Amino acid sequence: MTTAPNVLLVHGAWADGSCWNRVIERLSDKGFGTVVASQLPLRGFAEDVAVVVRDLDALTGPTILVGHSYGGAVISQAGSGRADVTGLVYVAAYAPTAGQSAFQINQEFGEQLPSGADLVNIGTADTPELIIARDRYHADFAADADPREAALLAATQKPTSVLSLAGSGTATPAWEALRDNTWYQISTLDAMIPPALQSRMAHQVTTTDHIVSLVTGHASMITAPDAIADLITQAAAGQ
């Protein structure tokens, strides 16, 4: 790297910023600038985007934006039109076009994964707030994690409003301007986002040589932190 950019890490649904802890450790060892994780409220799409915009505004200099799962939809909007965002990394993530929500992407793709039946509404009928059934979290979200760690993740998962998952932005997504320095990691054992859908989105946002497949479940930043840190390093080198 000719410079040491910042890295802003954005979690997805049913998680929080601590899911990036192992990646943060490795990036710090690699000599990056400021490495921080946003904490999304997961109460609505616009609110989640606003949090990432706030966190970007608090940084100085070039920044690599990294999004996992639903967080990919958030960074696509939050990074739009910003000269300080010099690279994007999608980690088993949604990469929508303008006006597209995560829910809509799933519906248009059509393949239904069994994990969809494991979502439990702990909110109201009018404003559902979803969690993954705790006895299914290991199999669905972190299949290749240690069972004890998966149990902790299940116990501390952050409920996610359908207003986040069904929300969309209207700005041109950031990847359209950053296609040459956008990277995508596909999780081939993913039970939350079909790997074939990930592949479709990956080829939409970047070139084949910027796509990496890992034999991991959905939570690859937890179970394969070295590989994710290396991918972020490649994005930093291309800024």
Side-chain angles (χ1 to χ4, degrees):
M1 291 181 290
T2 56
T3 59
N6 307 306
V7 179
L8 181 56
L9 303 151
V10 181
H11 66 85
W14 309 299
D16 64 18
S18 67
C19 69
W20 295 107
N21 284 353
R22 292 173 183 168
V23 173
I24 293 171
E25 290 174 344
R26 285 153 177 80
L27 294 177
S28 297
D29 290 344
K30 289 175 178 286
F32 276 82
T34 302
V35 181
V36 292
S38 290
Q39 295 285 2
L40 302 184
L42 298 177
R43 303 288 296 169
F45 185 75
E47 294 91 333
D48 294 337
V49 171
V51 164
V52 176
V53 169
R54 177 204 66 190
D55 292 346
L56 281 170
D57 289 343
L59 298 172
T60 301
T63 300
I64 306 297
L65 261 182
V66 184
H68 172 248
S69 193
Y70 162 73
V74 176
I75 68 169
S76 296
Q77 288 295 302
S80 179
R82 296 190 64 116
D84 54 341
V85 175
T86 56
L88 302 168
V89 179
Y90 290 85
V91 178
Y94 289 102
T97 57
Q100 219 180 16
S101 69
F103 271 167
Q104 184 180 351
I105 292 172
N106 282 343
Q107 290 169 350
E108 291 175 352
F109 185 68
E111 180 182 337
Q112 299 297 317
L113 290 175
S115 58
D118 297 332
L119 298 180
V120 178
N121 179 19
I122 63 170
T124 66
D126 292 334
T127 309
E129 291 186 73
L130 305 175
I131 63 169
I132 300 171
R134 293 186 175 91
D135 63 347
R136 295 295 304 162
Y137 193 97
H138 186 195
D140 291 346
F141 196 90
D144 51 331
D146 177 85
R148 294 184 65 186
E149 180 175 36
L152 291 174
L153 293 168
T156 59
Q157 65 177 298
K158 196 167 186 177
T160 301
S161 171
V162 295
L163 297 178
S164 287
L165 299 172
S168 61
T170 57
T172 300
W175 53 261
E176 287 199 14
L178 290 169
R179 194 182 300 270
D180 290 342
N181 200 31
T182 293
W183 298 75
Y184 195 108
Q185 178 263 310
I186 298 168
S187 291
T188 63
L189 303 179
D190 204 318
M192 298 299 296
I193 303 177
L197 174 55
Q198 292 181 42
S199 179
R200 176 183 294 184
M201 291 187 288
H203 285 90
Q204 171 180 269
V205 302
T206 193
T207 57
T208 301
D209 58 328
H210 283 195
I211 300 170
V212 174
S213 293
L214 298 178
V215 184
T216 63
H218 190 55
S220 51
M221 67 287 183
I222 294 172
T223 60
D226 289 318
I228 301 305
D230 287 345
L231 199 60
I232 295 168
T233 302
Q234 292 181 68
Q239 66 172 342

